Amino acid sequence: MQTKILRLLGWLTANSAALILLAGFGIIAGASFLIGLIPGLFTLGGLLVVLAIILFIPGPDERG
């Protein structure tokens, strides 16, 4: 059981930046929908474009 917890904590530590980024995207999108539907949809679309660009960037093993 302790190894599962340590493995989970290691995964959370390794991916903390991505998790914080996604949480920030969620907060921004939620706040923009509180302003109105149209600004919320535009903001959500922009955040999805940013996420797609981030995912499209090659990793260190793919560069060269």
Side-chain angles (χ1 to χ4, degrees), residues 21-22 24-26 28-29 32-33 37-55:
L21 178 75
L22 289 176
F25 279 1
I28 291 170
S32 65
F33 275 107
L37 180 65
I38 300 300
L41 289 174
F42 273 105
T43 305
L44 182 62
L47 290 174
L48 287 175
V49 168
V50 170
L51 184 63
I53 290 171
I54 290 172
L55 291 175

